[in-house]
Amino acid sequence: MLLGVVALAIWWQVRGRHQEPKLDAREAAALEVGSGPYPGSGTSRVVAFVFGVIGLWACLDWPLATLGAGYLATAQMVRQVLMVFAVAPLLLYACPSGLAVRLVGWGRRLTVLRWAARPLVAVPVAACTLLAVNAPAILDPLVATPYGAFGMDLLWIVAGFVLWMPVQCPHPGVRRLTGAFALGYLILQSVVPLLPGFFMTWADQAIYRTYDLAPRAIAGFDAVNDQQTAAAILQVGGMVFLWVQIAFRFLHWGYQELENDRAPRKPITETRATTP
């Protein structure tokens, strides 16, 4: 997965961005419906890509991947928070609009992407996905095999992309939420980490067989403490990442409003009809 992301970025820099096709009438009409290219400088996208790749590497490699696969629910939850609330938005921001067009196009896949980028679709899909992968009946069988663990990583990536798509979709044909609507959506997002962590926090015993039967990686840190710490990381960690985004977008929105107010307005010239 990591090598695929890096290889795609290298291909885009070397060849892909120099082969952008011209828009036809249908694509131009689809572009009018959307919000245009996602704003951002090339330098900021490079920085976002580097940190996104580092975060993805930390989630998929030792020691977090090894500890999360069969020893500590806390390590597994750190991976989940990083993947959903940090790696996904960073990679979406780093994705150039031209690359998004190459991957999705302007046809039926764009229609599916527009539906996925609607808040009424994104929030329930992401919340249900995170609830499912944190349910004991699903998590225990998945972490038991390498293929299941890889499938869980894919589900985290999908949930993260879907969750951030309404405010950070890189495709120019998708209308994104901005201003107060984006802030409201991000505040609504803050409910998502609370749902899977609720039953983990208030359970009197370990609910995951994998971590209950695993050797103790930390002396005195039993399965119940591990489970409750994992719930706290999901709820608090997810909230921190979300509110950092909310604060940044609020300041950026306020700065734009001030700039618009300070911008000189063109004088209105009245044209009077002359009577003969």
Side-chain angles (χ1 to χ4, degrees):
M1 186 186 300
L2 180 64
L3 292 178
V5 172
V6 174
L8 181 62
I10 294 174
W11 171 82
W12 177 255
Q13 288 295 323
V14 174
R15 295 190 59 183
R17 62 176 181 165
H18 304 295
Q19 302 174 356
E20 295 188 37
K22 295 182 179 180
L23 297 178
D24 58 20
R26 184 188 64 174
E27 294 167 351
L31 184 60
E32 289 294 328
V33 177
S35 302
Y38 191 85
S41 63
T43 303
S44 63
R45 293 186 190 279
V46 172
V47 172
F49 177 76
V50 170
F51 279 100
V53 169
I54 292 174
L56 184 61
W57 188 6
C59 292
L60 300 178
D61 205 353
W62 183 89
L64 285 178
T66 303
L67 290 173
Y71 295 96
L72 288 173
T74 301
Q76 188 79 337
M77 201 57 67
V78 170
R79 296 177 64 226
Q80 184 175 151
V81 169
L82 284 176
M83 195 86 78
V84 174
F85 298 104
V87 173
L90 285 172
L91 293 182
L92 281 177
Y93 178 78
C95 180
S97 299
L99 178 58
V101 171
R102 282 293 188 88
L103 295 175
V104 177
W106 298 93
R108 295 181 178 178
R109 285 177 293 178
L110 177 58
T111 303
V112 175
L113 184 62
R114 282 176 173 168
W115 274 98
R118 295 184 178 185
L120 293 179
V121 175
V123 172
V125 168
C128 291
T129 302
L130 292 180
L131 277 172
V133 296
N134 285 288
I138 296 178
L139 184 143
D140 283 326
L142 286 180
V143 297
T145 64
Y147 297 105
F150 179 73
M152 180 177 290
D153 293 342
L154 288 180
L155 289 174
W156 288 347
I157 287 287
V158 170
F161 282 166
V162 170
L163 198 63
W164 291 97
M165 203 65 73
V167 294
Q168 214 151 313
C169 181
H171 199 291
V174 176
R175 187 180 299 278
R176 295 177 297 272
L177 299 177
T178 58
F181 295 101
L183 295 177
Y185 173 75
L186 290 175
I187 293 173
L188 180 63
Q189 268 194 29
S190 62
V191 180
V192 174
L194 301 177
L195 300 177
F198 180 79
F199 60 87
M200 297 170 60
T201 303
W202 298 105
D204 296 330
Q205 57 187 1
I207 61 176
Y208 300 114
R209 184 178 67 256
T210 300
Y211 303 114
D212 188 21
L213 301 178
R216 292 296 95 203
I218 302 175
F221 195 58
D222 60 21
V224 176
N225 291 332
D226 179 30
Q227 178 179 291
Q228 293 174 347
T229 304
I233 289 174
L234 175 60
Q235 294 171 333
V236 177
M239 294 281 284
V240 168
F241 279 111
L242 284 171
W243 281 96
V244 167
Q245 276 262 10
I246 291 171
F248 175 79
R249 289 175 180 270
F250 177 77
L251 293 175
H252 182 68
W253 177 45
Y255 178 77
Q256 282 187 328
E257 291 296 322
L258 288 176
E259 288 296 317
N260 293 336
D261 292 339
R262 292 174 182 174
R265 298 179 180 178
K266 295 181 179 180
I268 300 176
T269 57
E270 295 182 359
T271 303
R272 297 182 179 180
T274 57
T275 55

